[in-house]
Amino acid sequence: MVNRQKIMIVDDDENIAELISLYLTKECFDTRIVHDGESAMREFDTYAPNLVLLDLMLPGIDGYQVCRELRQRSSVPIIMLSAKGEVFDKVLGLELGADDYIIKPFDSKELVARVKAVLRRFQPDKSQAAKSTGKIVEYPDLIVNQTNYSVIYKGETIDMPPKELELLYFLASSPNQVFTREQLLDHIWGYEYIGDTRTVDVHIKRLREKIKENPYWALTTVWGIGYKFEVKNV
């Protein structure tokens, strides 16, 4: 029997939560519904979901705080659900660690498609990973290993969600080559990704916060174009 992937739905609107659960159950997902932030924090550890659908407007602890705390504990993907469609709200959600942002009201097919797309991105094919060898790049103070999804910076292991690691590995694998935001979206998130280039900017910002500029290399912005992993001649 194939194990179903588990989706935790965090929404204080019971009707919306039940409707989402129905959509996902029809697609052979296992679901669990919670209606507030405190319950979400408790259930996350016991349920161990593969993905969290997180409403922002929750009683007590709001969705932003739940996202922040979950991200400190896990790299499990989080999709935010919100009636707030302003760019500021989307960017804030992404900066706190969300992997996608869906505006209410949403189409059921779009919701399911985004859930599947995020799960595909965040659960690399283990058989392919096992076949892969040498998916490691090394620089002074930095080792990025995409085979076992680990990053070592200055001798310490850095917790990093899969997409951040994949972006860092991709750039570091082609030192001094400039990539546009669109190219990075295509390579890392895939052509089916429903989002905008701001996603790349947010992930670069997160990487820079975790891995500071080094005398030998840096994640460099090429204004008007995109980004590169710059190797310096020291």
Side-chain angles (χ1 to χ4, degrees):
M1 181 177 177
V2 178
N3 291 329
R4 293 186 173 192
Q5 291 181 301
K6 298 185 289 186
I7 312 295
M8 187 167 77
I9 303 163
V10 188
D11 199 312
D12 63 331
D13 188 317
E14 294 185 13
N15 292 329
I16 290 178
E18 291 291 347
L19 196 58
I20 293 172
S21 178
L22 178 63
Y23 296 151
L24 294 173
T25 301
K26 286 182 177 179
E27 297 293 325
C28 296
F29 290 103
D30 183 82
T31 65
R32 179 170 297 184
I33 297 172
V34 295
H35 297 299
D36 61 79
E38 291 184 359
S39 298
M41 301 302 298
R42 290 194 304 269
E43 290 294 318
F44 181 81
D45 292 326
T46 57
Y47 185 53
N50 298 102
L51 182 145
V52 178
L53 286 171
L54 178 61
D55 184 36
L56 290 182
M57 304 302 291
L58 297 171
I61 304 174
D62 67 18
Y64 289 120
Q65 182 62 28
V66 173
C67 180
R68 184 184 293 109
E69 294 191 23
L70 289 182
R71 188 50 74 231
Q72 290 175 352
R73 293 155 52 178
S74 172
S75 61
V76 165
I78 299 170
I79 299 179
M80 284 187 169
L81 306 175
S82 177
K84 297 180 178 181
E86 298 297 323
V87 171
F88 169 81
D89 298 303
K90 294 180 183 179
V91 171
L92 177 58
L94 292 169
E95 288 183 337
L96 290 175
D99 303 290
D100 203 350
Y101 191 105
I102 300 178
I103 300 171
K104 295 180 179 181
F106 46 78
D107 179 81
S108 61
K109 292 181 179 179
E110 180 185 357
L111 173 69
V112 172
R114 290 209 189 191
V115 167
K116 289 181 176 179
V118 169
L119 285 171
R120 281 197 299 273
R121 301 198 308 267
F122 280 80
Q123 294 181 353
D125 188 325
K126 293 182 180 178
S127 63
Q128 287 299 110
K131 294 175 186 176
S132 300
T133 57
K135 299 191 78 172
I136 301 172
V137 290
E138 295 189 41
Y139 293 94
D141 295 332
L142 179 67
I143 302 173
V144 185
N145 187 330
Q146 194 171 306
T147 300
N148 64 10
Y149 276 70
S150 66
V151 175
I152 298 175
Y153 175 62
K154 292 187 175 179
E156 296 186 2
T157 300
I158 304 296
D159 291 330
M160 192 171 290
K163 274 293 156 277
E164 288 179 27
L165 186 146
E166 290 169 16
L167 178 59
L168 177 61
Y169 176 85
F170 181 78
L171 289 168
S173 297
S174 301
N176 296 323
Q177 182 173 342
V178 180
F179 294 95
T180 67
R181 292 169 176 82
E182 290 79 8
Q183 287 175 321
L184 293 172
L185 276 176
D186 289 344
H187 280 285
I188 308 301
W189 282 266
Y191 290 98
E192 81 282 1
Y193 178 65
I194 307 171
D196 60 33
T197 55
R198 193 179 296 269
T199 300
V200 175
D201 298 335
V202 171
H203 280 71
I204 290 289
K205 180 181 178 182
R206 290 187 207 162
L207 285 171
R208 285 172 172 163
E209 290 171 351
K210 296 175 182 178
I211 299 176
K212 306 301 182 184
E213 187 169 330
N214 186 279
Y216 301 95
W217 48 263
L219 284 170
T220 303
T221 301
V222 182
W223 297 107
I225 302 176
Y227 297 98
K228 69 177 178 178
F229 188 91
E230 181 181 2
V231 177
K232 305 173 183 179
N233 295 319
V234 179

